[in-house]
Amino acid sequence: MSTYRVAQVTTAGGPFEVVERAVPQPGPCHVRITVEACGICHSDAFFVTAALPGVTFPVVPGHEIAGRIDALGDGLQGWGWEVGDRVAVGWFGGSCGHCTSCRRGDFIVCENLKVPGWAYDGGFAESVIAPVDALARLPDALTAADAGPMACAGVTTYNGLRRSAARPGDLVAVLGIGGLGHLAVKYAVAMGFETVAIARGADKADLARQLGAHHYIDSTAGTSVAETLRTLGSARTVLATAANSAAITATVDGLAPRGELVVIGADPKALGINPLQLLMSGRVVRGHPSGTAQDVQDTMEFSALHGIRPTVETLPLAAVGEGYQRMLSGGARFRIVLTSN
């Protein structure tokens, strides 16, 4: 019987261990993917620590998956997928198709969303079984290591910007230039926005310029972030990628009238926003989830067209524990990606 390796956690907050399992066959409307690369996302910690309901152990995390289809389940005639196709699977790992959101075509907020590593074994493995509606097709121009992070970090920032109120020429600020933010700055520039990068420390200014930002705001410099945004003309949109509620709150008064704060950084602490900050200027605060498989494909095609790639560090599957801890410590530049070689 053939086997494959997975990196699993057997208890909440426990260490990773790499074990062998029998290779499974895909069921109806599912495919088996040979994993070539899988990014390590901060959201993987929600599953490793059982911070979300319904997590069962052992857990195999990983929702930034890139690889090739190696087996098709029944019922896929007419879907257009073949063995050997290059695909990605992200946070959107399939939908139920029958909840109210799905019936309205809003699949990313499916009430029964299938996130890899939560609903089924994720991509910290040599192989993964995924439902067909989770598949995005990889452009030839992207390597697997580049494509993996696009399926979560990429699509979340790209979608957050393209679905925002901002239009080309508007002032757009990106809060945080880490795993999400470094891509967000690149996308904002490519979309034609006057782009502001916001981070902690004067030493990030050079990085912001290298990413293409037109302006940099050091949030520790003394002048408030909101005041500096106002001197630049006020932001039509702030894309908050930093998982820091205090830092997110500090941008609100830098929004233009009818400006929009789009939150994608996950911090359990409450935002310190009062109604008057929103009412008088008609400002909007909204959360933005990731994106469907088609959104992932759109993200990758846009990235290929504009030469946008994530900055990644690659490690073999056997070094998953090291990579996960590096991600937690904030030391990654900017995405740790597990590869098959």
Side-chain angles (χ1 to χ4, degrees), residues 46 74 96 102 129 141 149 163-164 184 242 280 283 308:
F46 293 150
D74 294 334
C96 71
C102 285
I129 303 285
R163 298 183 186 279
S164 74
M280 301 304 292
R283 293 167 175 148
I308 295 172

Side-chain angles (χ1 to χ4, degrees), residues 277-292:
Q277 289 177 282
L278 307 179
L279 290 170
M280 301 304 292
S281 296
R283 293 167 175 148
V284 173
V285 179
R286 68 177 177 88
H288 172 74
S290 180
T292 65

